[in-house]
Amino acid sequence: MSEKMDHSIGKKIRESLQADCQSCFGLCCTALNIAASSDFAIHKAAGTPCPNLQSDFNCQIHSKLRDQGFKGCTVFDCLGAGQQVSQTTFHGQDWRKYSEISDRMFRVFPIMEQLYEMIAYVAEALSYKVDSSLFNKLHIQLEQLQRATDLEADALLAIDIPNFRLPVNVLLLETSEQIRQSLIVKTNGKNSRKYDYRGVDWIGKNFKGKDLRATDLRGSYLIAANLQNADLRGVDFIGADLRDANLRGADLSSSMFLTQMQINSAQGNHQTKLPSHLNRPSYWVD
């Protein structure tokens, strides 16, 4: 059975999950609630278009977002949920021309966004060399999630997202434990240090140059932490807050469940090593 496992499928799917803003009707600029903060210069209620959204759905300050207080916009990544809602769920209907669909479209978008997030995680898990039993369970879960993205709008609105997440979380945790344990044994031969730091508060802490391989940092607070030149291979980053974390020169090449949004919120440079499915932010400077 193990011979039939094709781990490249998961990698290909994960790398294909990219936002295509030209095929979306500005849903992230309209459907989501925005609270004025250090990330956003204004408050905007869900369903209300951002004042910077133009009639062609382009942003009039796109090249100056960070300078004008909209750093959060440069961090956001829908993974392709926007174009799926715009072009598939609502068949290319522009909410400005068809105002009767606008409310449903705006409510569907956050649901689709969460489905795409789960697909990204499960696809990544399938790219790892897990045992055949786990691989098969992940593959079944991926197919269920993919089918859900093709549902009609009303069916999507009826989805119980927390219940969707439960089996996904179980499988991702099992994946993390399998992969990280194999890395621990490979690098150290035994558990020579603590690896479980789930939910830890490391805000502003200094881990420059530290070997943190295979550490579980799920849900951890790494805001403004100094991880410069740290070895972060095999680290589980699900739900970790990396805002303004210093990742300059850090090795995240095989970090687990790291998202583009997490990378976009951090600081790095050309020496930062990223997984193949993530892009280096244009605003990272040396």
Side-chain angles (χ1 to χ4, degrees):
M1 191 171 189
S2 61
E3 288 80 12
K4 297 180 181 180
M5 293 190 295
D6 185 356
H7 299 282
S8 67
I9 293 175
K11 183 178 180 181
K12 290 176 182 177
I13 292 174
R14 181 64 187 88
E15 292 180 346
S16 72
L17 296 175
Q18 303 285 336
D20 178 8
C21 296
Q22 297 304 309
S23 299
C24 178
F25 299 128
L27 294 182
C28 66
C29 308
T30 309
L32 304 180
N33 179 70
I34 292 177
S37 65
S38 59
D39 291 327
F40 295 101
I42 61 170
H43 173 78
K44 183 195 76 64
T48 302
C50 174
N52 295 309
L53 185 66
Q54 301 179 112
S55 59
D56 59 358
F57 298 108
N58 286 318
C59 174
Q60 65 180 354
I61 62 167
H62 185 266
S63 63
K64 303 175 182 178
L65 281 167
R66 295 179 76 86
D67 293 336
Q68 297 200 23
F70 289 87
K71 182 172 66 173
C73 296
T74 67
V75 171
F76 183 77
D77 177 31
C78 77
L79 294 167
Q83 63 255 32
Q84 178 71 9
V85 172
S86 297
Q87 303 302 326
T88 301
T89 312
F90 288 91
H91 313 290
Q93 296 179 93
D94 177 345
W95 55 266
R96 279 181 167 156
K97 294 180 181 178
Y98 302 90
S99 58
E100 68 275 9
I101 67 169
S102 61
D103 179 64
R104 283 194 305 152
M105 182 179 278
F106 298 155
R107 287 188 292 125
V108 163
F109 176 62
I111 294 171
M112 188 70 75
E113 182 192 353
Q114 293 180 75
L115 290 173
Y116 265 69
E117 177 189 55
M118 287 185 273
I119 288 173
Y121 283 142
V122 174
E124 181 180 336
L126 280 167
S127 72
Y128 297 130
K129 294 182 179 180
V130 296
D131 63 42
S132 60
S133 174
L134 178 54
F135 182 90
N136 291 332
K137 287 186 286 187
L138 286 165
H139 195 270
I140 291 170
Q141 188 66 62
L142 178 64
E143 290 181 333
Q144 291 176 344
L145 290 165
Q146 289 176 319
R147 284 196 296 271
T149 65
D150 288 327
L151 293 173
E152 295 295 326
D154 289 339
L156 283 163
L157 290 171
I159 287 179
D160 185 343
I161 286 294
N163 278 337
F164 253 68
R165 284 192 177 278
L166 284 175
V168 172
N169 289 339
V170 170
L171 293 176
L172 296 181
L173 182 58
E174 188 177 346
T175 301
S176 175
E177 290 175 344
Q178 279 194 23
I179 300 305
R180 290 187 302 102
Q181 185 59 40
S182 66
L183 181 59
I184 291 170
V185 172
K186 182 178 180 180
T187 56
N188 296 319
K190 61 180 181 179
N191 292 343
S192 58
R193 64 173 173 84
K194 181 179 177 180
Y195 289 87
D196 184 1
Y197 287 97
R198 194 178 307 177
V200 70
D201 182 350
W202 281 355
I203 296 176
K205 298 290 186 180
N206 184 13
F207 294 97
K208 183 177 181 179
K210 293 290 185 180
D211 182 357
L212 296 173
R213 283 176 293 177
T215 301
D216 185 352
L217 289 176
R218 284 180 162 229
S220 58
Y221 298 92
L222 303 171
I223 302 169
N226 185 3
L227 296 165
Q228 184 174 358
N229 298 327
D231 191 340
L232 302 170
R233 290 175 291 174
V235 171
D236 185 341
F237 278 111
I238 281 188
D241 192 336
L242 288 166
R243 283 177 294 169
D244 293 322
N246 182 358
L247 300 177
R248 294 179 180 88
D251 188 349
L252 301 107
S253 57
S254 60
S255 296
M256 302 180 69
F257 307 126
L258 188 65
T259 69
Q260 189 66 54
M261 288 179 68
Q262 287 171 309
I263 288 300
N264 290 348
S265 71
Q267 301 175 13
N269 60 10
H270 75 282
Q271 294 178 322
T272 305
K273 297 179 181 178
L274 298 175
S276 61
H277 59 270
L278 298 181
N279 299 313
R280 194 179 310 278
S282 61
Y283 42 84
W284 276 10
V285 294
D286 296 337

